[in-house]
């Protein structure tokens, strides 16, 4: 059994359904302490976090990730217990195998091998771990970043171990993510009987022209790294349930996934302008859950891409697709962030798995990245 596989199995066996950590960070911490890392646990709101750093010199390379996993769902539908790591058909099965306990194991073994070969390497290495990525993400990475920011501690390069690959290890690196801006719109009308529409004001009818304009609006054209910003209605509710009542108000839930070509403030202003142009009476509340972040091609992207090519022979695509990640918090104190991990086809699914022959190459990629960044 390889070292990365052994550690991945030990992590999968720990039931760390969000926001529980299940002892994963303690296990990793023991390995890091033996390498000379100084450990700073940070508990917040029932969440377990860990900042571990070795060295004080620049540059600082950080490995970031989460020890929590999503619930497994119906256990009877799994071919094997999701918290008993199982090998079959060339794969390692278990909840968190792909998202992202294999990456965590590879972070550790890559660091151990790098320091064994270069114990006096310049710069510093850190680990930022949380058990709150799959949940509300209010007491996890953001709290660690708050602490680091308060004392002026910054990260030069950060690799987040999210599963990014599509078909084979090495095919995709994420160098940014879109922002997420949600809105709750309540359009006011006047409730009444459908037989007497002149005595009522139907908010559904009133909103329809504005909805058409919002859906047809080009918010931006994206840029070299991001697709155009999108606006989508996620829920629309009105009425009492009776067929003969004109509703008194309409509730609309919507979301922007926006690139660095737009700002949250600009999108909010444009939405209000459209609603006002249609003379609607409304209430509008916003929820900004993620700002977009981007790392253009440069030192970190080049180092990771070269490491991937050296280990796998694959030229990685640099992409910003997908949802949000904890990189949105780390971006406050780090100018260069990338995400890279195993194939993501089975994440959050029954029988989640990772290819066994990807584990040691993943560790080797992380190790080569350290070698280039801390040369």
């Amino acid at each position: 059994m390889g070292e990365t596989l052994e550690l991945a199995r030990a992590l999968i066996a720990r039931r760390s359904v969000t926001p529980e950590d299940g002892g994963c960070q303690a296990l990793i911490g023991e390995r890091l302490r033996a390498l000379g890392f100084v450990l700073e646990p940070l508990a917040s709101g029932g969440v377990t976090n860990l900042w571990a750093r070795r060295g004080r010199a620049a540059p600082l390379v950080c490995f970031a990730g989460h020890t929590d996993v999503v619930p497994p769902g119906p256990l009877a539908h799994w071919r094997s217990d999701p918290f008993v790591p199982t090998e079959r058909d060339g794969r390692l099965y278990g909840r968190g195998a792909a998202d992202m306990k294999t990456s965590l194991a590879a972070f550790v073994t890559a660091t151990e091998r790098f320091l064994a070969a270069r114990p006096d390497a310049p710069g510093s290495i850190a680990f930022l771990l949380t058990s709150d990525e799959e949940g509300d993400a209010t007491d996890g990475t953001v709290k660690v970043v708050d602490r680091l920011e308060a004392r002026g501690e910054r990260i030069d390069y950060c690799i987040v171990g999210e599963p990014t690959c599509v078909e084979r290890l090495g095919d995709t690196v994420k160098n940014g993510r879109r922002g997420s801006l949600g809105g709750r719109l309540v359009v006011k009308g006047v409730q009444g009987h459908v037989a007497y529409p002149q005595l009522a004001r139907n908010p559904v009818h009133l909103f329809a022209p504005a909805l058409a304009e919002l859906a047809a609006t080009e918010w931006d054209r994206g840029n070299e790294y991001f697709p155009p910003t999108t606006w989508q209605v996620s829920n629309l509710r009105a009425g009492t349930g009776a067929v003969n009542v004109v509703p008194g108000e309409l509730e609309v839930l919507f979301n922007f996934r926006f690139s660095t070509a737009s700002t949250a403030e600009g999108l909010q202003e444009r939405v209000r302008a459209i609603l006002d142009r249609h003379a609607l009476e409304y209430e509008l509340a916003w929820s900004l859950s993620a700002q977009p972040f981007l790392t253009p091609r440069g030192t970190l992207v080049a180092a990771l891409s070269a490491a991937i090519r050296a280990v796998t022979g694959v030229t990685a695509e640099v992409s910003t697709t997908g949802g949000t990640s904890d990189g949105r918090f780390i971006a406050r104190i780090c100018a260069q962030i990338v995400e890279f991990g195993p194939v993501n086809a089975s994440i959050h699914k029954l029988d989640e798995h990772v290819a066994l022959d990807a584990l040691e190459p993943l560790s080797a990629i992380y190790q080569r990245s350290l070698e280039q960044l801390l040369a």
Side-chain angles (χ1 to χ4, degrees), residues 35-84:
L35 297 173
F37 281 77
V38 176
L39 309 186
E40 290 186 56
L42 172 62
S44 177
V47 170
T48 303
N49 303 301
L50 177 65
W51 172 252
R53 178 167 178 163
R54 183 185 190 274
R56 303 306 306 174
L60 171 58
V61 180
C62 176
F63 290 123
H66 59 91
T67 54
D68 60 324
V69 298
V70 295
L75 298 182
H77 294 176
W78 284 71
R79 288 184 60 191
S80 54
D81 189 316
F83 296 106
V84 176

Side-chain angles (χ1 to χ4, degrees), residues 104-243:
L104 299 181
F107 283 163
V108 174
T109 57
T111 302
E112 289 173 336
R113 292 165 181 164
F114 172 76
L115 291 175
R118 302 192 60 189
D120 299 321
S124 307
I125 305 173
F127 278 63
L128 196 170
L129 305 177
T130 182
S131 67
D132 189 36
E133 197 274 348
E134 299 288 11
D136 295 334
T138 55
D139 288 284
T141 297
V142 64
K143 296 296 187 183
V144 180
V145 170
D146 286 345
R147 173 179 288 188
L148 298 177
E149 189 173 37
R151 66 193 190 199
E153 196 164 355
R154 296 191 61 82
I155 299 168
D156 295 289
Y157 309 112
C158 183
I159 299 176
V160 184
E162 289 291 341
T164 58
C165 297
V166 179
E167 295 181 354
R168 60 173 296 187
L169 181 67
D171 64 14
T172 307
V173 169
K174 299 291 178 72
N175 69 324
R177 295 279 189 162
R178 294 176 294 174
S180 178
L181 174 64
R184 177 182 180 271
L185 171 68
V186 177
V187 180
K188 303 291 186 177
V190 176
Q191 184 173 303
H193 197 295
V194 297
Y196 302 93
Q198 71 279 13
L199 301 178
R201 294 179 65 245
N202 193 319
V204 179
H205 296 181
L206 295 172
F207 179 62
L211 173 59
E213 183 174 348
L214 289 164
T217 295
E218 179 182 81
W219 304 98
D220 60 45
R221 297 185 178 181
N223 54 36
E224 177 186 357
Y225 298 100
F226 286 100
T229 291
T230 62
W231 180 85
Q232 290 291 318
V233 171
S234 56
N235 212 317
L236 192 149
R237 293 195 294 266
T240 64
V243 72

Side-chain angles (χ1 to χ4, degrees), residues 17 51 82 133 150 201 252 311 333:
V17 175
W51 172 252
E133 197 274 348
R201 294 179 65 245
V252 184
V311 173
I333 58 170

Side-chain angles (χ1 to χ4, degrees), residues 9 11 14 22 30 50 52 55 87 97 103 128 132 141 146 204 258 260 264 318 338 351:
R9 288 177 58 93
L11 292 171
R14 285 161 167 77
E30 290 174 7
L50 177 65
E87 297 169 42
S103 295
L128 196 170
D132 189 36
T141 297
D146 286 345
V204 179
F258 65 104
T260 52
V318 179
V338 295
D351 294 328

